[in-house]
Amino acid sequence: MNNKIVTLLTDFGTHDGYIGSLKGVIKSYYPAADIIDISHDIDPFDVRGAAFTLHTYYSYFPKDTIHFVVIDPGVGSVRRPLLLRTAQHYFVGPDNGVFQFIFSREAYTAYELDVKKISSGTPSATFHARDIFAPATGKLLQGNPCEKLGKRLDERTEVPRVFYSKEENGVLKLEAVNIDRFGNIVTGFSRRDMERMNKYAIDQVKVKDFSTNTLNSFYAEKSDGELMVLWNSMDFLEIAAVNANAAKILNFDKTKDSVQIKIR
Amino acid sequence: MNNKIVTLLTDFGTHDGYIGSLKGVIKSYYPAADIIDISHDIDPFDVRGAAFTLHTYYSYFPKDTIHFVVIDPGVGSVRRPLLLRTAQHYFVGPDNGVFQFIFSREAYTAYELDVKKISSGTPSATFHARDIFAPATGKLLQGNPCEKLGKRLDERTEVPRVFYSKEENGVLKLEAVNIDRFGNIVTGFSRRDMERMNKYAIDQVKVKDFSTNTLNSFYAEKSDGELMVLWNSMDFLEIAAVNANAAKILNFDKTKDSVQIKIR
Amino acid sequence: MNNKIVTLLTDFGTHDGYIGSLKGVIKSYYPAADIIDISHDIDPFDVRGAAFTLHTYYSYFPKDTIHFVVIDPGVGSVRRPLLLRTAQHYFVGPDNGVFQFIFSREAYTAYELDVKKISSGTPSATFHARDIFAPATGKLLQGNPCEKLGKRLDERTEVPRVFYSKEENGVLKLEAVNIDRFGNIVTGFSRRDMERMNKYAIDQVKVKDFSTNTLNSFYAEKSDGELMVLWNSMDFLEIAAVNANAAKILNFDKTKDSVQIKIR
């Protein structure tokens, strides 16, 4: 039995036994599963944050890695349980937006998981991670083809979601998709977004009381506590503070506040 | 050397190096140990919470999994270090109540670990997880039979602990055994408990200011923020709020407050 | 492909995808890497805390384990990326103090990692964990000798850092290197430090309002909530409270407060 990699991204936290039972189910199907914890500390029900986080790591894993992503506020309702196949990877999780970056960046085939093909019992109404997504992952690990786990969905035409809106005079208003552990404010605006608009320079960045017209390259360019703007390691625009917490300094609330930039 | 699974449940947290050293000890005995983190964030010294959490995941793991459970407020005192063998699994940890659900649900053989048989050095007085339980786990992984690690204990007659008390007029008062990450209030009262009393319906549920006479099946049946009562995915009675935190809404304190139900 | 162990110690937290991408990079170089999480919850930028934590677990792991330690406030600046080889282990991380206990306790050979030998692309300016340290770890796992990854550094003459200072009349002032999850105040003063001074007894310990002239051996010797002083499981002097939080009881701030002891 070969080692096969499964990554886990959930909002289940690490205080309870939830991730324990789903790891147990995966192991019971395929004991040599190599389970890699990414995070279980996604903010509860934060589908957008999970979608962004997935996007920052999935591509680094080797071929045939299964990415398990369950943030599932609608568990028990009608949202579809999904299985995606791309050239390199598999993805398992609910059809609620967690895969929006995958849809817009990868060619994929989508399947709606068929509960009857996956599990002999009746799944609980509140814990599909354990009763549907983990068994589906287990069956994939055992070598079952996607077709045996669900119905292939017709071509989907997703409208790629963007995280900015256009204002007047070349100003863009950017949403923050994450405040990371260090207090860096990560916007959903990428270098790629800018290039698609045939724009190549940022003239001004404004976040609440802070405003600058220069971008930096790395944190150590400024002094402790100073604010700065840079393209981060994933090529998203980020507001950071040197060895300090930018979100706290700016009193930034990601659900209400935004970042304005002027580009040309 | 075959992969063998060890699950870890502790209250050591993830801020310090404690779990590092015990993982190192297990690996030094058996490098192919497949160590699965369940949680290290059990509330400090919360033996009851750990016992409940263990109960939610242990049975999902494959045969011969070793479940390592160390919440050990009495470390260094006289409580016995235990090894349990059930038909499917091994359990290693202190004899302080963390295994109470295993005792009441499984047939088992119990052994008192013998420090002299396990480790050549003198164990530290304050870190038996590293110096007794991890080496015992390592020796099990190496294939040693239980008899070589300790003394078989005579039949134990555990009085199964229940998490409810009977009041007048068919009312039961239920303890909360966990407030989970989402704020769900999980009581220690299971469907099985109710069936044992030959009762099959719940007429009323009362928690602080909230009262209802209907049970729901899944979260999506109600609107955001509404409170509801349901049998959760482990078949324990739970008070939840749709996409919201029930414990906060009710200002529920698990050490003081309780849930009243009326059954027939 | 043999299993090979990599331990991870970082301050990246578990809320974001950072550890996801670096685990992915390691796996892409060597899919059978056995990645062991020690902690990602070191306080942001707390190099001293990381150095102490590393010291508490590294020696328990089997031969040839690679210890990956990235707490890197100076990322992007001139601090050197290091690779260390000791008789038993490898260490990968920045040259900013995280290895200070290794330097003072182990014989080692040090290499400055050469980015050009490690990675074909240009590393990001802000995430060397993913772009330099993880690929270096991957190449070690593949069996490359240290010499192929960087330049051997001349003998270093580190002045071992100590965590105490001498006051008058045989009094020592000790720094706290960690407040652990249970609120234990762990000083940087070890039994070995004392023996090096040819001192063998502690006459008095004073921490803020608390003072005692006896040391205890284990937590259960006192009653709940009582303060005590003991050599902990790593042989560092520690102030603890029985089943309670010593740091909170004493209102102890590790950045400002200290512990005074009188030895003979």
Side-chain angles (χ1 to χ4, degrees):
Chain A
M1 196 181 285
N2 291 319
N3 270 26
K4 292 182 183 175
I5 301 170
V6 179
T7 74
L8 301 185
L9 181 70
T10 78
D11 64 348
F12 295 148
T14 52
H15 175 266
D16 312 299
Y18 296 124
I19 59 167
S21 57
L22 74 89
K23 287 177 175 180
V25 171
I26 292 171
K27 283 290 192 183
S28 71
Y29 278 86
Y30 196 80
D34 185 3
I35 297 177
I36 303 287
D37 291 306
I38 305 296
S39 170
H40 303 290
D41 296 334
I42 295 293
D43 294 337
F45 318 131
D46 183 8
V47 167
R48 189 180 72 168
F52 175 76
T53 299
L54 171 62
H55 160 75
T56 65
Y57 68 82
Y58 79 94
S59 62
Y60 293 101
F61 278 87
K63 191 159 162 43
D64 292 334
T65 293
I66 301 172
H67 295 298
F68 179 104
V69 183
V70 180
I71 283 78
D72 199 9
V75 61
S77 69
V78 292
R79 63 97 195 88
R80 292 192 285 208
L82 279 190
L83 164 62
L84 306 179
R85 178 79 179 109
T86 64
Q88 292 292 316
H89 301 126
Y90 298 89
F91 297 82
V92 174
D95 187 15
N96 61 6
V98 291
F99 298 126
Q100 65 192 39
F101 280 100
I102 308 303
F103 292 145
S104 62
R105 280 160 198 252
E106 299 278 348
Y108 63 91
T109 313
Y111 300 82
E112 178 175 355
L113 291 169
D114 182 340
V115 177
K116 284 182 230 83
K117 290 181 178 167
I118 289 166
S119 174
S120 50
T122 307
S124 77
T126 55
F127 198 10
H128 289 183
R130 183 193 66 193
D131 297 344
I132 296 176
F133 297 116
T137 300
K139 286 193 172 269
L140 272 178
L141 289 165
Q142 289 175 341
N144 289 287
C146 297
E147 287 71 20
K148 291 193 76 167
L149 304 180
K151 189 178 86 237
R152 187 168 168 165
L153 296 173
D154 288 340
E155 287 305 309
R156 299 162 65 104
T157 44
E158 298 281 335
V159 181
R161 163 120 160 64
V162 294
F163 296 98
Y164 59 88
S165 54
K166 293 184 183 176
E167 316 256 294
E168 292 178 355
N169 302 323
V171 169
L172 297 181
K173 196 170 144 186
L174 317 182
E175 293 175 47
V177 287
N178 193 31
I179 307 289
D180 77 9
R181 184 184 201 213
F182 304 98
N184 299 319
I185 301 166
V186 184
T187 74
F189 185 70
S190 69
R191 228 190 258 266
R192 192 195 290 212
D193 288 327
M194 195 158 87
E195 286 164 10
R196 268 201 216 105
M197 300 180 208
N198 291 314
K199 302 285 187 183
Y200 298 93
I202 295 181
D203 277 343
Q204 213 199 7
V205 179
K206 225 168 110 35
V207 200
K208 302 194 76 171
D209 289 343
F210 171 68
S211 165
T212 183
N213 48 23
T214 56
L215 263 65
N216 287 89
S217 296
F218 51 87
Y219 300 136
E221 283 178 9
K222 289 214 165 181
S223 310
D224 274 16
E226 282 190 297
L227 289 162
M228 60 193 301
V229 180
L230 74 174
W231 293 109
N232 73 10
S233 61
M234 293 303 302
D235 273 342
F236 283 82
L237 202 70
E238 175 181 303
I239 291 82
V242 183
N243 291 343
N245 189 309
K248 273 195 191 146
I249 291 171
L250 290 166
N251 196 22
F252 188 93
D253 178 341
K254 82 170 171 176
T255 64
K256 283 186 292 195
D257 296 323
S258 64
V259 174
Q260 282 88 40
I261 64 173
K262 202 164 176 175
I263 57 177
R264 80 181 134 87
Chain B
M1 196 181 284
N2 291 319
N3 270 27
K4 292 182 183 175
I5 300 170
V6 179
T7 74
L8 302 184
L9 182 70
T10 78
D11 64 347
F12 295 148
T14 52
H15 175 266
D16 312 299
Y18 296 124
I19 59 167
S21 56
L22 74 89
K23 287 176 176 180
V25 171
I26 292 170
K27 283 291 191 182
S28 71
Y29 278 86
Y30 195 79
D34 185 3
I35 297 177
I36 303 287
D37 291 306
I38 305 296
S39 170
H40 303 290
D41 296 334
I42 294 293
D43 295 337
F45 318 131
D46 183 7
V47 167
R48 189 181 73 169
F52 175 76
T53 299
L54 171 62
H55 160 75
T56 66
Y57 68 82
Y58 79 95
S59 62
Y60 293 101
F61 278 86
K63 190 159 162 46
D64 292 334
T65 293
I66 301 172
H67 295 297
F68 179 104
V69 184
V70 181
I71 283 78
D72 200 9
V75 61
S77 69
V78 292
R79 63 98 194 89
R80 292 193 284 208
L82 279 190
L83 163 63
L84 306 179
R85 178 79 179 109
T86 64
Q88 292 292 316
H89 301 126
Y90 298 89
F91 297 82
V92 174
D95 187 14
N96 61 7
V98 290
F99 298 125
Q100 64 192 39
F101 281 100
I102 309 303
F103 292 145
S104 62
R105 281 161 197 250
E106 300 278 348
Y108 63 91
T109 313
Y111 300 82
E112 178 175 355
L113 291 169
D114 182 339
V115 177
K116 284 181 230 83
K117 290 180 178 168
I118 289 166
S119 174
S120 50
T122 307
S124 77
T126 55
F127 198 10
H128 289 183
R130 184 193 65 193
D131 297 343
I132 296 176
F133 298 116
T137 300
K139 286 194 172 268
L140 272 178
L141 289 165
Q142 289 175 341
N144 289 288
C146 296
E147 287 72 20
K148 291 193 75 168
L149 304 180
K151 188 178 86 236
R152 188 168 167 163
L153 296 174
D154 288 340
E155 287 305 309
R156 299 162 65 104
T157 45
E158 297 282 334
V159 181
R161 163 121 161 65
V162 294
F163 296 98
Y164 59 87
S165 54
K166 294 184 183 177
E167 316 257 293
E168 292 179 356
N169 303 323
V171 169
L172 297 181
K173 196 170 144 186
L174 317 182
E175 293 176 47
V177 287
N178 193 30
I179 308 289
D180 77 10
R181 185 186 200 210
F182 304 98
N184 299 319
I185 301 165
V186 184
T187 75
F189 186 69
S190 69
R191 228 190 258 266
R192 192 195 291 212
D193 289 327
M194 195 157 87
E195 286 164 10
R196 267 201 217 106
M197 300 179 207
N198 292 314
K199 301 286 188 184
Y200 298 93
I202 295 180
D203 277 343
Q204 213 199 8
V205 179
K206 225 167 111 34
V207 200
K208 302 194 76 172
D209 289 343
F210 171 68
S211 165
T212 183
N213 48 23
T214 56
L215 263 66
N216 287 89
S217 295
F218 50 88
Y219 300 136
E221 282 179 8
K222 290 215 166 181
S223 310
D224 274 17
E226 282 190 297
L227 289 162
M228 60 193 301
V229 180
L230 74 175
W231 293 109
N232 73 10
S233 61
M234 293 303 302
D235 273 342
F236 283 82
L237 202 69
E238 175 181 303
I239 291 81
V242 183
N243 291 343
N245 189 309
K248 273 195 192 147
I249 291 171
L250 290 166
N251 196 21
F252 188 93
D253 178 340
K254 81 170 172 177
T255 64
K256 283 186 293 195
D257 296 322
S258 64
V259 174
Q260 282 88 41
I261 64 173
K262 202 165 176 175
I263 57 177
R264 81 181 133 86
Chain C
M1 197 182 284
N2 290 319
N3 270 26
K4 292 183 183 174
I5 300 170
V6 179
T7 74
L8 302 184
L9 182 70
T10 78
D11 64 347
F12 296 148
T14 52
H15 175 266
D16 312 299
Y18 296 124
I19 59 168
S21 56
L22 74 89
K23 287 176 176 181
V25 171
I26 292 170
K27 283 290 191 183
S28 71
Y29 278 85
Y30 196 79
D34 185 2
I35 297 177
I36 302 287
D37 291 306
I38 305 297
S39 170
H40 303 289
D41 296 333
I42 295 294
D43 295 337
F45 318 131
D46 183 7
V47 167
R48 189 180 73 169
F52 175 76
T53 299
L54 171 62
H55 160 76
T56 65
Y57 67 82
Y58 79 94
S59 62
Y60 293 101
F61 278 86
K63 190 159 162 45
D64 291 334
T65 293
I66 301 172
H67 295 298
F68 179 104
V69 183
V70 181
I71 283 78
D72 199 9
V75 61
S77 69
V78 293
R79 63 97 194 89
R80 292 192 284 208
L82 279 190
L83 163 62
L84 306 179
R85 178 79 178 110
T86 64
Q88 292 292 316
H89 300 127
Y90 298 89
F91 298 82
V92 174
D95 188 14
N96 61 6
V98 291
F99 298 126
Q100 65 192 38
F101 280 101
I102 308 303
F103 292 145
S104 62
R105 280 161 199 250
E106 299 278 347
Y108 63 91
T109 313
Y111 301 83
E112 179 175 353
L113 291 170
D114 181 340
V115 177
K116 284 181 230 84
K117 290 181 177 165
I118 289 166
S119 174
S120 50
T122 307
S124 77
T126 55
F127 198 10
H128 289 183
R130 184 193 66 193
D131 296 344
I132 296 176
F133 298 116
T137 300
K139 286 194 172 268
L140 272 178
L141 289 165
Q142 289 175 342
N144 289 287
C146 297
E147 287 71 20
K148 291 193 75 168
L149 304 180
K151 188 177 86 235
R152 187 168 168 164
L153 296 173
D154 288 340
E155 286 306 309
R156 298 162 65 104
T157 45
E158 298 281 335
V159 181
R161 163 122 161 64
V162 294
F163 296 97
Y164 59 87
S165 54
K166 293 184 182 176
E167 315 257 293
E168 292 178 355
N169 302 322
V171 170
L172 297 181
K173 195 169 143 186
L174 317 182
E175 293 175 47
V177 287
N178 193 31
I179 307 290
D180 77 10
R181 185 185 200 210
F182 305 97
N184 299 318
I185 300 165
V186 184
T187 74
F189 186 70
S190 68
R191 227 190 258 266
R192 192 195 292 213
D193 288 327
M194 195 157 87
E195 286 164 10
R196 268 201 217 105
M197 300 180 208
N198 291 314
K199 302 287 187 182
Y200 298 93
I202 295 180
D203 277 343
Q204 213 198 9
V205 179
K206 224 168 111 35
V207 200
K208 301 194 76 171
D209 289 343
F210 172 69
S211 164
T212 183
N213 48 23
T214 56
L215 263 66
N216 287 88
S217 296
F218 50 88
Y219 300 136
E221 282 179 9
K222 290 214 166 181
S223 310
D224 274 16
E226 282 190 298
L227 289 162
M228 60 192 301
V229 179
L230 74 174
W231 293 109
N232 73 10
S233 60
M234 293 302 302
D235 273 342
F236 283 82
L237 202 70
E238 175 182 304
I239 291 82
V242 183
N243 292 343
N245 189 310
K248 273 195 192 146
I249 291 171
L250 290 166
N251 195 21
F252 188 92
D253 178 341
K254 82 170 170 176
T255 64
K256 283 186 293 194
D257 296 323
S258 65
V259 174
Q260 282 88 41
I261 64 173
K262 203 164 175 176
I263 58 177
R264 81 182 133 87

